[in-house]
Amino acid sequence: MNENFCIIPFIVLNCRPNGTLKTCSQAEGAEPIPGFNLNQDKLESFWNSDWMMDFRRRKIAGERISQCEGCKRVEKTGNKSKRQIYLERFYDKYKDRINPNGYVNEMPAWWEFRLSSVCNSACLICTPQNSTLIEKEHRKRYHQLSKYDREQVDGCTKNQLGNGRFLRDFWKHVDSIDAIELHGGEPLIDDNVIDTLEKLVNLGHSKRMHLHVHSNINKIDDHIIDLLNEFQSGWFGASIDAYGEENDFLRWPSRWDIVDSNFRRIHLHSGWSKTITSSVTVYQCLTLWKLLDWYLEFQNEWDIYFYHVHSPDRFAVEMIDIEKRREAANEIESYKPIFLRHTGLDLLINMLRSERAPDISEYRNFITYNDFKDNIRSQDSRSLFPHIGEIYDKMYDAI
Protein backbone atom coordinates (compact mmCIF):
# COMPACT_ATOMS: atom_id res chain seq x y z
CA MET A 1 0.00 0.00 0.00
CA ASN A 2 1.49 3.36 -1.02
CA GLU A 3 1.98 6.24 1.40
CA ASN A 4 -0.69 8.39 -0.28
CA PHE A 5 -3.45 5.81 -0.57
CA CYS A 6 -6.68 6.55 1.31
CA ILE A 7 -9.78 4.38 1.83
CA ILE A 8 -12.11 7.34 2.40
CA PRO A 9 -13.20 7.94 -1.25
CA PHE A 10 -14.18 4.28 -1.50
CA ILE A 11 -16.55 4.24 1.46
CA VAL A 12 -17.51 7.77 2.65
CA LEU A 13 -20.10 10.18 1.26
CA ASN A 14 -19.13 13.74 2.19
CA CYS A 15 -21.53 16.56 1.41
CA ARG A 16 -22.27 20.09 2.55
CA PRO A 17 -25.63 21.47 3.73
CA ASN A 18 -26.05 23.19 0.35
CA GLY A 19 -25.80 19.84 -1.47
CA THR A 20 -22.28 20.24 -2.82
CA LEU A 21 -19.77 17.43 -2.39
CA LYS A 22 -16.17 16.94 -1.39
CA THR A 23 -13.98 13.87 -1.16
CA CYS A 24 -13.35 14.34 2.56
CA SER A 25 -14.10 16.71 5.42
CA GLN A 26 -10.35 17.42 5.57
CA ALA A 27 -10.03 18.29 1.86
CA GLU A 28 -7.86 21.38 2.06
CA GLY A 29 -8.67 24.32 -0.17
CA ALA A 30 -10.74 22.09 -2.41
CA GLU A 31 -13.56 23.48 -4.50
CA PRO A 32 -16.80 21.46 -4.48
CA ILE A 33 -16.69 18.53 -6.90
CA PRO A 34 -17.95 20.02 -10.18
CA GLY A 35 -21.22 19.07 -11.79
CA PHE A 36 -23.04 17.53 -8.84
CA ASN A 37 -25.43 18.64 -6.13
CA LEU A 38 -27.31 16.09 -4.03
CA ASN A 39 -30.28 18.40 -3.73
CA GLN A 40 -31.00 17.59 -7.38
CA ASP A 41 -28.73 14.75 -8.53
CA LYS A 42 -29.05 11.07 -7.79
CA LEU A 43 -26.39 9.58 -5.57
CA GLU A 44 -25.67 6.87 -8.17
CA SER A 45 -24.73 9.45 -10.79
CA PHE A 46 -22.13 10.97 -8.49
CA TRP A 47 -20.68 7.95 -6.71
CA ASN A 48 -19.21 6.34 -9.83
CA SER A 49 -18.90 9.49 -11.92
CA ASP A 50 -15.83 10.01 -14.08
CA TRP A 51 -14.53 12.53 -11.52
CA MET A 52 -14.77 10.13 -8.57
CA MET A 53 -13.39 7.16 -10.47
CA ASP A 54 -10.41 9.25 -11.62
CA PHE A 55 -9.80 10.48 -8.06
CA ARG A 56 -9.81 6.90 -6.75
CA ARG A 57 -7.40 5.78 -9.49
CA ARG A 58 -5.03 8.60 -8.52
CA LYS A 59 -5.16 7.36 -4.91
CA ILE A 60 -4.46 3.78 -6.00
CA ALA A 61 -1.52 5.01 -8.08
CA GLY A 62 -0.04 6.82 -5.09
CA GLU A 63 -0.32 10.32 -6.51
CA ARG A 64 0.13 13.12 -3.99
CA ILE A 65 -2.98 15.30 -4.37
CA SER A 66 -2.97 18.92 -3.22
CA GLN A 67 -6.32 18.79 -1.38
CA CYS A 68 -4.95 15.95 0.76
CA GLU A 69 -2.00 17.95 2.08
CA GLY A 70 -3.73 18.52 5.43
CA CYS A 71 -3.26 14.86 6.29
CA LYS A 72 0.32 14.85 5.04
CA ARG A 73 1.11 17.84 7.25
CA VAL A 74 -0.37 16.07 10.29
CA GLU A 75 1.67 12.96 9.49
CA LYS A 76 4.84 15.03 9.20
CA THR A 77 4.42 16.11 12.84
CA GLY A 78 4.38 12.46 13.90
CA ASN A 79 0.65 12.41 14.60
CA LYS A 80 -1.96 10.19 12.96
CA SER A 81 -3.97 11.76 10.18
CA LYS A 82 -7.57 11.03 9.25
CA ARG A 83 -6.20 9.06 6.29
CA GLN A 84 -4.19 6.79 8.58
CA ILE A 85 -6.98 6.40 11.14
CA TYR A 86 -9.49 5.30 8.50
CA LEU A 87 -7.00 2.87 6.95
CA GLU A 88 -6.39 1.24 10.32
CA ARG A 89 -10.09 0.97 11.14
CA PHE A 90 -11.64 0.14 7.79
CA TYR A 91 -9.17 -1.22 5.24
CA ASP A 92 -9.69 -4.90 6.03
CA LYS A 93 -13.48 -4.53 6.13
CA TYR A 94 -13.80 -2.63 2.86
CA LYS A 95 -10.72 -3.58 0.81
CA ASP A 96 -12.90 -5.54 -1.65
CA ARG A 97 -14.30 -2.18 -2.82
CA ILE A 98 -10.95 -1.17 -4.27
CA ASN A 99 -10.94 -1.84 -8.02
CA PRO A 100 -8.11 -0.69 -10.32
CA ASN A 101 -10.55 1.22 -12.53
CA GLY A 102 -11.88 3.23 -9.56
CA TYR A 103 -15.40 1.85 -9.82
CA VAL A 104 -17.05 0.89 -6.51
CA ASN A 105 -19.80 -1.70 -6.81
CA GLU A 106 -21.49 -0.74 -3.54
CA MET A 107 -22.98 2.58 -2.52
CA PRO A 108 -21.28 4.48 0.36
CA ALA A 109 -21.13 2.62 3.67
CA TRP A 110 -20.51 5.76 5.73
CA TRP A 111 -22.77 8.77 5.19
CA GLU A 112 -21.86 12.18 6.55
CA PHE A 113 -25.08 14.01 7.43
CA ARG A 114 -25.00 17.77 7.04
CA LEU A 115 -28.72 18.30 6.58
CA SER A 116 -28.62 22.02 7.30
CA SER A 117 -26.45 24.84 8.56
CA VAL A 118 -28.84 25.61 11.43
CA CYS A 119 -26.65 26.31 14.43
CA ASN A 120 -26.78 27.91 17.88
CA SER A 121 -23.07 28.82 17.80
CA ALA A 122 -20.95 31.12 15.67
CA CYS A 123 -17.49 29.69 16.35
CA LEU A 124 -14.56 31.81 15.24
CA ILE A 125 -13.09 29.16 12.96
CA CYS A 126 -16.41 28.23 11.34
CA THR A 127 -17.98 29.51 8.12
CA PRO A 128 -21.39 30.90 7.15
CA GLN A 129 -22.06 27.76 5.12
CA ASN A 130 -21.97 25.77 8.35
CA SER A 131 -23.62 28.20 10.77
CA THR A 132 -26.76 30.26 10.29
CA LEU A 133 -25.56 32.63 13.01
CA ILE A 134 -22.37 33.40 11.11
CA GLU A 135 -24.28 33.73 7.87
CA LYS A 136 -26.55 36.31 9.50
CA GLU A 137 -23.55 38.20 10.92
CA HIS A 138 -21.70 38.25 7.63
CA ARG A 139 -24.62 39.05 5.34
CA LYS A 140 -25.38 42.11 7.43
CA ARG A 141 -21.79 43.34 6.95
CA TYR A 142 -21.02 41.87 3.55
CA HIS A 143 -19.19 44.97 2.30
CA GLN A 144 -16.70 44.70 5.20
CA LEU A 145 -15.66 41.13 4.37
CA SER A 146 -12.56 39.91 2.58
CA LYS A 147 -12.90 38.28 -0.84
CA TYR A 148 -12.57 34.84 0.80
CA ASP A 149 -15.33 35.55 3.32
CA ARG A 150 -17.64 37.05 0.71
CA GLU A 151 -17.25 33.86 -1.32
CA GLN A 152 -18.22 31.85 1.75
CA VAL A 153 -21.41 33.88 2.11
CA ASP A 154 -22.14 33.56 -1.61
CA GLY A 155 -22.03 29.78 -1.21
CA CYS A 156 -24.89 29.77 1.30
CA THR A 157 -28.35 28.67 0.22
CA LYS A 158 -31.72 27.96 1.77
CA ASN A 159 -32.02 24.91 -0.51
CA GLN A 160 -30.37 22.48 1.92
CA LEU A 161 -30.05 18.72 2.10
CA GLY A 162 -32.80 18.20 4.62
CA ASN A 163 -35.27 19.64 2.14
CA GLY A 164 -34.08 17.92 -1.05
CA ARG A 165 -33.76 14.47 -2.52
CA PHE A 166 -30.84 13.53 -0.25
CA LEU A 167 -33.04 11.90 2.39
CA ARG A 168 -34.97 9.99 -0.28
CA ASP A 169 -31.69 8.53 -1.50
CA PHE A 170 -30.70 7.77 2.07
CA TRP A 171 -33.81 5.71 2.72
CA LYS A 172 -33.43 4.00 -0.65
CA HIS A 173 -29.98 2.72 0.34
CA VAL A 174 -30.46 2.43 4.09
CA ASP A 175 -29.99 -1.36 4.16
CA SER A 176 -26.40 -1.00 2.89
CA ILE A 177 -25.42 1.85 5.21
CA ASP A 178 -23.22 0.88 8.14
CA ALA A 179 -22.61 4.27 9.73
CA ILE A 180 -23.93 7.81 9.87
CA GLU A 181 -21.84 10.78 10.87
CA LEU A 182 -23.79 13.80 12.14
CA HIS A 183 -22.42 17.25 11.41
CA GLY A 184 -24.03 20.64 11.22
CA GLY A 185 -24.65 23.34 11.81
CA GLU A 186 -25.55 21.79 15.10
CA PRO A 187 -27.17 18.44 14.27
CA LEU A 188 -28.90 17.93 17.61
CA ILE A 189 -31.13 20.97 17.11
CA ASP A 190 -32.01 20.03 13.51
CA ASP A 191 -35.56 18.63 13.33
CA ASN A 192 -34.73 16.59 10.21
CA VAL A 193 -31.84 14.92 12.02
CA ILE A 194 -33.95 14.04 15.06
CA ASP A 195 -36.79 12.76 12.83
CA THR A 196 -34.31 10.57 10.93
CA LEU A 197 -32.85 9.11 14.13
CA GLU A 198 -36.34 8.39 15.46
CA LYS A 199 -37.27 6.61 12.23
CA LEU A 200 -34.07 4.53 12.26
CA VAL A 201 -34.89 3.47 15.82
CA ASN A 202 -38.52 2.67 15.04
CA LEU A 203 -37.58 0.59 11.97
CA GLY A 204 -34.86 -1.31 13.83
CA HIS A 205 -31.91 -0.09 11.74
CA SER A 206 -30.26 1.52 14.75
CA LYS A 207 -29.54 -1.91 16.26
CA ARG A 208 -26.96 -2.65 13.53
CA MET A 209 -25.67 0.89 12.88
CA HIS A 210 -22.80 2.98 14.14
CA LEU A 211 -23.60 6.64 14.88
CA HIS A 212 -20.88 9.30 14.85
CA VAL A 213 -21.94 12.58 16.47
CA HIS A 214 -20.28 16.00 16.46
CA SER A 215 -22.03 18.42 18.82
CA ASN A 216 -21.36 21.72 20.54
CA ILE A 217 -23.56 20.38 23.41
CA ASN A 218 -25.27 23.73 23.85
CA LYS A 219 -28.51 21.77 23.92
CA ILE A 220 -28.85 18.18 25.17
CA ASP A 221 -32.00 16.60 26.55
CA ASP A 222 -33.07 13.16 27.76
CA HIS A 223 -34.88 12.33 24.51
CA ILE A 224 -31.70 12.84 22.49
CA ILE A 225 -29.66 10.71 24.88
CA ASP A 226 -32.30 7.96 24.74
CA LEU A 227 -32.16 7.98 20.93
CA LEU A 228 -28.38 7.72 20.89
CA ASN A 229 -28.48 4.76 23.24
CA GLU A 230 -30.62 2.83 20.73
CA PHE A 231 -27.70 2.55 18.29
CA GLN A 232 -25.44 -0.48 18.28
CA SER A 233 -22.32 1.63 18.69
CA GLY A 234 -21.26 5.20 18.46
CA TRP A 235 -18.74 7.94 18.95
CA PHE A 236 -19.74 11.20 20.61
CA GLY A 237 -17.55 14.22 20.05
CA ALA A 238 -18.18 17.15 22.38
CA SER A 239 -16.72 20.24 20.75
CA ILE A 240 -15.06 22.13 23.57
CA ASP A 241 -12.15 24.32 22.54
CA ALA A 242 -11.09 25.82 25.85
CA TYR A 243 -12.11 26.31 29.47
CA GLY A 244 -14.56 28.86 30.79
CA GLU A 245 -14.67 32.32 29.26
CA GLU A 246 -12.08 31.33 26.64
CA ASN A 247 -14.50 28.71 25.32
CA ASP A 248 -17.33 31.24 25.41
CA PHE A 249 -15.22 33.54 23.24
CA LEU A 250 -14.13 30.90 20.72
CA ARG A 251 -17.56 29.27 20.47
CA TRP A 252 -19.65 32.45 20.80
CA PRO A 253 -22.33 32.85 22.17
CA SER A 254 -21.73 29.69 24.18
CA ARG A 255 -22.08 29.81 27.98
CA TRP A 256 -19.67 27.71 30.00
CA ASP A 257 -22.16 26.93 32.80
CA ILE A 258 -24.53 25.37 30.24
CA VAL A 259 -21.75 23.48 28.43
CA ASP A 260 -20.44 22.07 31.71
CA SER A 261 -23.93 21.05 32.88
CA ASN A 262 -24.84 19.39 29.59
CA PHE A 263 -21.51 17.60 29.41
CA ARG A 264 -22.14 15.95 32.76
CA ARG A 265 -25.50 14.48 31.65
CA ILE A 266 -24.17 12.58 28.60
CA HIS A 267 -24.43 8.95 29.72
CA LEU A 268 -24.19 6.42 26.89
CA HIS A 269 -23.95 2.62 26.85
CA SER A 270 -20.66 0.71 26.65
CA GLY A 271 -20.78 0.50 22.85
CA TRP A 272 -20.12 4.22 22.70
CA SER A 273 -16.83 6.05 22.99
CA LYS A 274 -16.76 9.70 24.02
CA THR A 275 -14.20 12.32 23.12
CA ILE A 276 -13.72 15.99 23.83
CA THR A 277 -12.60 17.57 20.57
CA SER A 278 -10.67 20.82 20.74
CA SER A 279 -9.77 22.84 17.67
CA VAL A 280 -6.45 24.45 18.52
CA THR A 281 -5.88 27.94 17.22
CA VAL A 282 -3.63 30.93 17.69
CA TYR A 283 -5.97 32.08 20.47
CA GLN A 284 -5.88 29.36 23.14
CA CYS A 285 -2.76 27.42 22.14
CA LEU A 286 -0.80 28.68 25.15
CA THR A 287 -3.55 28.22 27.77
CA LEU A 288 -4.90 24.73 27.13
CA TRP A 289 -3.64 23.63 30.52
CA LYS A 290 -6.85 25.18 31.89
CA LEU A 291 -8.94 22.77 29.80
CA LEU A 292 -6.73 19.85 30.86
CA ASP A 293 -7.23 20.69 34.54
CA TRP A 294 -11.00 20.58 34.03
CA TYR A 295 -10.80 17.39 31.96
CA LEU A 296 -8.99 15.38 34.63
CA GLU A 297 -12.27 14.81 36.46
CA PHE A 298 -13.69 12.98 33.44
CA GLN A 299 -10.74 11.09 31.98
CA ASN A 300 -12.04 7.68 33.09
CA GLU A 301 -14.98 8.04 30.68
CA TRP A 302 -13.82 10.56 28.09
CA ASP A 303 -10.87 10.81 25.74
CA ILE A 304 -9.57 14.16 24.52
CA TYR A 305 -8.35 15.02 21.03
CA PHE A 306 -6.79 18.16 19.61
CA TYR A 307 -7.26 19.25 16.01
CA HIS A 308 -4.65 21.40 14.33
CA VAL A 309 -6.59 24.17 12.60
CA HIS A 310 -4.83 24.83 9.30
CA SER A 311 -7.67 25.94 7.06
CA PRO A 312 -8.18 28.81 6.81
CA ASP A 313 -4.57 29.56 7.71
CA ARG A 314 -5.41 32.81 9.54
CA PHE A 315 -5.80 30.82 12.78
CA ALA A 316 -2.54 28.85 12.61
CA VAL A 317 -0.68 28.39 15.91
CA GLU A 318 2.64 28.90 14.13
CA MET A 319 2.06 32.66 14.18
CA ILE A 320 2.88 32.58 17.90
CA ASP A 321 6.58 32.70 18.81
CA ILE A 322 8.00 29.18 18.82
CA GLU A 323 9.77 29.65 22.16
CA LYS A 324 6.46 30.47 23.84
CA ARG A 325 4.88 27.45 22.19
CA ARG A 326 7.74 25.24 23.33
CA GLU A 327 7.21 26.43 26.90
CA ALA A 328 3.51 25.57 26.60
CA ALA A 329 4.41 22.15 25.16
CA ASN A 330 6.75 21.46 28.08
CA GLU A 331 3.96 22.36 30.49
CA ILE A 332 1.63 19.91 28.71
CA GLU A 333 4.32 17.24 29.03
CA SER A 334 4.01 17.53 32.81
CA TYR A 335 0.45 16.16 32.61
CA LYS A 336 1.53 12.79 31.23
CA PRO A 337 2.11 11.08 34.60
CA ILE A 338 -1.51 11.79 35.63
CA PHE A 339 -3.18 11.12 32.27
CA LEU A 340 -4.63 7.71 31.48
CA ARG A 341 -4.27 8.29 27.72
CA HIS A 342 -1.42 10.14 26.08
CA THR A 343 -2.53 10.25 22.44
CA GLY A 344 -4.29 13.58 22.77
CA LEU A 345 -1.41 15.11 24.69
CA ASP A 346 1.12 13.92 22.12
CA LEU A 347 -0.95 15.46 19.34
CA LEU A 348 -1.04 18.77 21.14
CA ILE A 349 2.65 18.74 22.06
CA ASN A 350 3.74 18.01 18.49
CA MET A 351 1.40 20.71 17.24
CA LEU A 352 2.86 23.31 19.59
CA ARG A 353 6.39 22.42 18.52
CA SER A 354 5.67 22.85 14.83
CA GLU A 355 8.48 24.74 13.07
CA ARG A 356 6.53 25.70 9.97
CA ALA A 357 7.16 29.33 9.07
CA PRO A 358 3.90 31.22 8.46
CA ASP A 359 3.50 33.40 5.40
CA ILE A 360 3.04 37.13 5.95
CA SER A 361 -0.48 36.81 4.52
CA GLU A 362 -1.47 34.66 7.50
CA TYR A 363 -0.66 37.51 9.89
CA ARG A 364 -2.49 40.01 7.72
CA ASN A 365 -5.57 37.82 7.34
CA PHE A 366 -5.70 37.12 11.07
CA ILE A 367 -5.56 40.79 12.05
CA THR A 368 -8.23 41.76 9.54
CA TYR A 369 -10.64 39.06 10.63
CA ASN A 370 -9.92 39.33 14.36
CA ASP A 371 -10.51 43.08 14.38
CA PHE A 372 -13.71 42.58 12.39
CA LYS A 373 -15.07 40.03 14.89
CA ASP A 374 -14.01 42.03 17.94
CA ASN A 375 -15.83 45.04 16.55
CA ILE A 376 -19.14 43.40 15.66
CA ARG A 377 -19.28 41.32 18.85
CA SER A 378 -18.00 44.02 21.21
CA GLN A 379 -15.25 41.68 22.37
CA ASP A 380 -11.65 42.28 23.37
CA SER A 381 -9.59 39.36 22.15
CA ARG A 382 -6.25 40.93 23.06
CA SER A 383 -7.33 41.31 26.68
CA LEU A 384 -8.42 37.67 26.95
CA PHE A 385 -5.47 36.32 24.91
CA PRO A 386 -2.61 38.82 25.43
CA HIS A 387 -0.11 36.73 23.46
CA ILE A 388 -1.85 37.48 20.14
CA GLY A 389 -0.53 41.02 20.48
CA GLU A 390 2.75 39.78 19.04
CA ILE A 391 0.97 39.02 15.76
CA TYR A 392 0.10 42.70 15.48
CA ASP A 393 3.68 43.63 16.41
CA LYS A 394 5.14 41.35 13.72
CA MET A 395 2.81 42.77 11.13
CA TYR A 396 3.70 46.34 12.04
CA ASP A 397 7.42 45.44 11.86
CA ALA A 398 6.88 43.99 8.41
CA ILE A 399 5.19 47.20 7.28
Side-chain angles (χ1 to χ4, degrees), residues 322-336:
I322 191 169
E323 291 304 321
K324 291 181 180 178
R325 288 188 281 114
R326 284 172 176 161
E327 289 179 14
N330 292 339
E331 186 169 24
I332 302 302
E333 287 267 16
S334 70
Y335 283 80
K336 282 189 172 183

Side-chain angles (χ1 to χ4, degrees), residues 190-202:
D190 187 323
D191 290 341
N192 280 321
V193 170
I194 302 303
D195 290 346
T196 300
L197 296 183
E198 289 173 343
K199 189 173 179 180
L200 288 169
V201 169
N202 292 335

Side-chain angles (χ1 to χ4, degrees), residues 71-244:
C71 276
K72 303 307 291 184
R73 187 154 57 245
V74 171
E75 292 164 18
K76 189 175 180 179
T77 68
N79 296 317
K80 283 188 178 180
S81 67
K82 183 173 181 177
R83 181 189 77 87
Q84 292 172 317
I85 293 169
Y86 272 61
L87 278 173
E88 287 181 6
R89 292 182 59 188
F90 300 123
Y91 180 77
D92 287 341
K93 182 175 182 178
Y94 295 114
K95 61 185 177 183
D96 291 343
R97 294 177 175 234
I98 305 168
N99 296 312
N101 65 358
Y103 188 91
V104 178
N105 294 315
E106 302 84 359
M107 288 295 102
W110 186 295
W111 287 48
E112 293 195 8
F113 262 47
R114 290 177 173 86
L115 296 188
S116 80
S117 56
V118 172
C119 194
N120 48 13
S121 286
C123 304
L124 269 178
I125 64 168
C126 198
T127 70
Q129 296 180 31
N130 291 302
S131 169
T132 45
L133 288 187
I134 298 178
E135 181 186 357
K136 182 178 179 181
E137 264 189 342
H138 286 196
R139 280 197 186 280
K140 188 175 180 180
R141 301 165 180 87
Y142 186 85
H143 67 284
Q144 300 177 39
L145 300 174
S146 67
K147 181 176 180 292
Y148 169 83
D149 290 303
R150 289 196 300 270
E151 290 173 349
Q152 295 298 309
V153 173
D154 294 341
C156 297
T157 176
K158 294 189 181 301
N159 186 21
Q160 301 197 327
L161 284 181
N163 304 318
R165 67 168 299 129
F166 177 83
L167 285 175
R168 294 198 297 274
D169 275 346
F170 171 79
W171 290 111
K172 177 181 177 181
H173 298 290
V174 68
D175 289 333
S176 63
I177 298 172
D178 297 332
I180 303 168
E181 182 168 350
L182 301 182
H183 291 266
E186 168 51 39
L188 299 186
I189 66 168
D190 187 323
D191 290 341
N192 280 321
V193 170
I194 302 303
D195 290 346
T196 300
L197 296 183
E198 289 173 343
K199 189 173 179 180
L200 288 169
V201 169
N202 292 335
L203 294 176
H205 294 294
S206 62
K207 295 301 182 185
R208 60 169 185 81
M209 277 187 170
H210 176 87
L211 186 62
H212 211 76
V213 182
H214 299 264
S215 175
N216 60 33
I217 66 171
N218 285 336
K219 181 181 178 183
I220 293 283
D221 58 38
D222 291 341
H223 178 58
I224 289 173
I225 293 173
D226 289 343
L227 284 175
L228 302 186
N229 276 315
E230 291 293 330
F231 284 78
Q232 181 189 54
S233 62
W235 176 90
F236 192 101
S239 300
I240 302 175
D241 290 340
Y243 175 79

Side-chain angles (χ1 to χ4, degrees), residues 37 44 95 109 166 214 286 327 351 382-383 392:
N37 188 299
E44 292 88 344
K95 61 185 177 183
F166 177 83
H214 299 264
L286 301 185
E327 289 179 14
M351 193 187 309
R382 296 173 71 176
S383 174
Y392 288 78

Side-chain angles (χ1 to χ4, degrees), residues 240-247 256 260 276 278 283-298 304 306 328 331-332 335 339 345 348 383-387:
I240 302 175
D241 290 340
Y243 175 79
E245 62 179 341
E246 293 184 4
N247 194 70
W256 180 253
D260 180 81
I276 295 169
S278 173
Y283 292 101
Q284 90 285 33
C285 63
L286 301 185
T287 56
L288 281 165
W289 58 269
K290 300 176 185 178
L291 180 63
L292 295 180
D293 280 351
W294 174 81
Y295 165 73
L296 284 171
E297 177 184 347
F298 311 104
I304 191 166
F306 296 94
E331 186 169 24
I332 302 302
Y335 283 80
F339 260 60
L345 293 184
L348 179 56
S383 174
L384 188 58
F385 305 100
H387 60 273

Side-chain angles (χ1 to χ4, degrees), residues 353-391:
R353 291 173 176 165
S354 170
E355 296 183 359
R356 182 184 71 86
D359 184 84
I360 191 64
S361 65
E362 296 178 46
Y363 295 93
R364 184 183 301 112
N365 293 339
F366 170 79
I367 291 172
T368 300
Y369 194 72
N370 185 63
D371 286 350
F372 169 69
K373 287 294 188 179
D374 269 1
N375 180 53
I376 65 175
R377 295 179 178 179
S378 299
Q379 294 177 319
D380 185 0
S381 59
R382 296 173 71 176
S383 174
L384 188 58
F385 305 100
H387 60 273
I388 67 173
E390 72 180 65
I391 298 176

Side-chain angles (χ1 to χ4, degrees), residues 13 262 341 369 394:
L13 177 67
N262 286 342
R341 307 174 184 88
Y369 194 72
K394 288 179 181 178

